[in-house]
Amino acid sequence: MRLTCPLCGERDRREFYYGGDAMALERPAPDAGDVAWNDYVHLRDNPAGATRDLWYHDGGCGTWLVVERDTLTHAIAKVTPASEVAR
Amino acid sequence: MANLIATPPFGDTLPVTVGATTITERPIERAASVAPFAGRAKAVSAALKQAIGLGLTGPGEWAAKGEASVIWFGRDTWLVIGAEVPESLQADAAVTDQSDAWACLRIDGPQAEAALARLVPLDLRAAAFGTGRTARSLIGHMSASITRAGGQGYDLMVMRSMARTLAHEVAEALQSVAARGA
Ligand SMILES: [Zn+2]
């Protein structure tokens, strides 16, 4: 697998560290309640198809990325800096 | 202040010469990382340009003027080598002394490119990585800065604690490449 970092260009998978589901960027409000927080902390989908994950370019420029990818075809649809998503 | 005797980061592991290709230490006497605060990159670039004659470079690019060079060093970070970063820059950027934090070697010669092809997951050929190019990537398992030094040469930087590992791995790769050609 190769990811195209917006700063570095196309790079080998070994340069990246997996950071889990990109829903981590959608932090609930402190008073959102137990259900929302339980969902945020513990519950993850396991889709056969489109996923949205965080990857860290640690063997490169140090940018956190949101990678949209398909778990069935391994096709990568989009790579966006997490700083642009989580503003 | 007393002028102490510097201990080179590579110890006695360098220089190495294999055929016409050499690996030599590039002493860093002065270096600082410059990381502009949000929205301040343009101001920092202008101030730096006025002070040392070089502004901030684009991603994957570096520039030099006299003894000074500015190397893109990752997301919103640059390394300024061989020049004093003006203190006034600290209003717009995180400026951190890196003088003894990184070690730099140069591999130069006809087999430099082939030796690095064994260690670095990048296309470092001149067509893809020519004059003025730099990259953050891996050398083996080490996080590194790799810069086209001109001609057949590359400057490789790792954190100082890994200097001897870098020298060893690059020398071994170069010797292996040379042995196949012999
Ligand atoms: Zn990158």
Side-chain angles (χ1 to χ4, degrees):
Chain A
M1 185 171 96
R2 288 169 78 78
L3 292 175
T4 302
C5 171
L7 286 176
C8 303
E10 194 183 286
R11 294 294 182 97
D12 192 84
R13 184 259 173 270
R14 86 187 81 159
E15 292 190 359
F16 299 89
Y17 170 82
Y18 179 67
D21 194 306
M23 74 169 288
L25 299 174
E26 291 139 35
R27 193 182 175 86
D31 58 357
D34 294 347
V35 174
W37 273 98
N38 181 53
D39 191 29
Y40 176 72
V41 174
H42 299 294
L43 301 181
R44 297 290 179 270
D45 294 331
N46 184 23
T51 60
R52 216 169 140 260
D53 295 318
L54 290 170
W55 290 81
Y56 180 55
H57 198 186
D58 67 338
C61 65
T63 302
W64 278 96
L65 305 166
V66 174
V67 176
E68 291 170 40
R69 152 182 96 87
D70 193 305
T71 56
L72 291 177
T73 63
H74 303 300
I76 291 160
K78 201 174 172 192
V79 181
T80 316
S83 59
E84 285 178 18
V85 175
R87 252 181 231 293
Chain B
M1 205 175 82
N3 198 6
L4 304 175
I5 298 166
T7 305
F10 296 100
D12 56 5
T13 56
L14 296 180
V16 168
T17 301
V18 179
T21 304
T22 57
I23 308 170
T24 50
E25 180 179 350
R26 297 267 297 158
I28 299 174
E29 286 194 8
R30 181 200 293 271
S33 59
V34 174
F37 300 141
R40 303 305 296 159
K42 270 189 183 152
V44 169
S45 187
L48 200 61
K49 177 127 195 165
Q50 196 166 32
I52 69 169
L54 293 167
L56 300 178
T57 51
E61 295 172 359
W62 73 285
K65 190 174 183 184
E67 292 288 295
S69 54
V70 172
I71 299 174
W72 178 83
F73 215 55
R75 179 177 182 254
D76 295 338
T77 308
W78 285 262
L79 194 68
V80 178
I81 301 179
E84 191 165 359
V85 176
E87 215 163 292
S88 60
L89 224 64
Q90 293 180 16
D92 288 313
V95 180
T96 312
D97 180 40
Q98 305 284 355
S99 302
D100 290 312
W102 290 78
C104 183
L105 66 73
R106 176 168 295 181
I107 178 168
D108 198 356
Q111 289 181 312
E113 183 188 295
L116 290 185
R118 297 187 167 215
L119 297 170
V120 180
L122 294 183
D123 184 355
L124 294 179
R125 292 174 295 179
F129 196 79
T131 310
R133 299 299 297 172
T134 187
R136 292 299 305 267
S137 185
L138 300 173
I139 299 173
H141 291 122
M142 293 175 289
S143 182
S145 160
I146 299 153
T147 296
R148 167 68 72 176
Q152 295 173 313
Y154 301 87
D155 284 346
L156 312 180
M157 263 189 278
V158 295
M159 281 177 242
R160 186 188 170 111
S161 60
M162 300 178 208
R164 286 163 189 248
T165 308
L166 176 69
H168 178 255
E169 293 211 357
V170 175
E172 191 172 82
L174 177 58
Q175 280 151 3
S176 305
V177 165
R180 284 177 65 91

